Amino acid sequence: PNLLRLLLATVLDEAEINAVDTAGTPQNKALQWLAPINMNRITRDQLVQRYAMAVFYYSTYGVVTAYSDATYIWKNKNRWVSSSHVCQWFGVRCGSDLVVKELVLPGNQLSGKLPREMRLLSKLDRL
């Protein structure tokens, strides 16, 4: 994850980097999820998009964690934090450029706070 962390440091602020380095945070979980990725097969922009989406997933309790209540776990998390392209994840709509434009997840039991990393999804215009 060191190369991955260095790459993310080019787009994250100091508080976000601290969160990446803190075990158990959504940011750290997203980094760990991305760790096995082949850096030769993904662009910087694709990596940042996957990271931001994974932080969103972990921040809104897509899975049970020590900090979440199982009552509020997502109802449908089809393909989220999988090897599928983010545009294939449930509730994600992308443009022809394969960049996330909308997250449509009504009734999916999201809870928690929207992470600051959502700003990295620069073309997101509907949530």
Side-chain angles (χ1 to χ4, degrees):
N2 289 337
L3 177 60
L4 181 59
R5 186 192 174 285
L6 287 173
L7 191 134
L8 288 172
T10 65
V11 297
L12 301 178
D13 64 29
E14 186 176 343
E16 291 164 338
I17 286 294
N18 288 338
V20 165
D21 292 336
T22 303
T25 63
Q27 294 81 0
N28 183 264
K29 289 178 183 182
L31 178 72
Q32 297 306 317
W33 170 69
L34 284 170
I37 205 162
N38 183 341
M39 299 292 285
N40 296 320
R41 295 183 164 243
I42 191 168
T43 68
R44 175 186 168 273
D45 290 343
Q46 290 170 330
L47 178 72
V48 169
Q49 179 172 255
R50 288 179 77 77
Y51 172 77
M53 294 290 285
V55 172
F56 171 76
Y57 175 78
Y58 291 117
S59 294
T60 57
Y61 304 117
V63 295
V64 177
T65 69
Y67 307 104
S68 66
D69 179 341
T71 306
Y72 298 105
I73 301 306
W74 287 20
K75 284 185 178 182
N76 187 336
K77 50 189 170 185
N78 189 29
R79 294 191 174 151
W80 277 80
V81 291
S82 71
S83 60
S84 298
H85 192 282
V86 296
C87 295
Q88 297 175 331
W89 295 1
F90 172 77
V92 178
R93 296 192 183 140
C94 297
S96 58
D97 55 359
L98 300 179
V99 174
V100 175
K101 299 210 184 276
E102 298 181 357
L103 293 178
V104 185
L105 299 161
N108 210 34
Q109 297 188 166
L110 278 66
S111 62
K113 295 180 181 178
L114 288 178
R116 295 171 45 162
E117 289 80 0
M118 295 299 286
R119 69 178 175 76
L120 300 172
L121 301 171
S122 59
K123 294 190 177 180
L124 182 67
D125 59 18
R126 181 175 177 208
L127 177 60

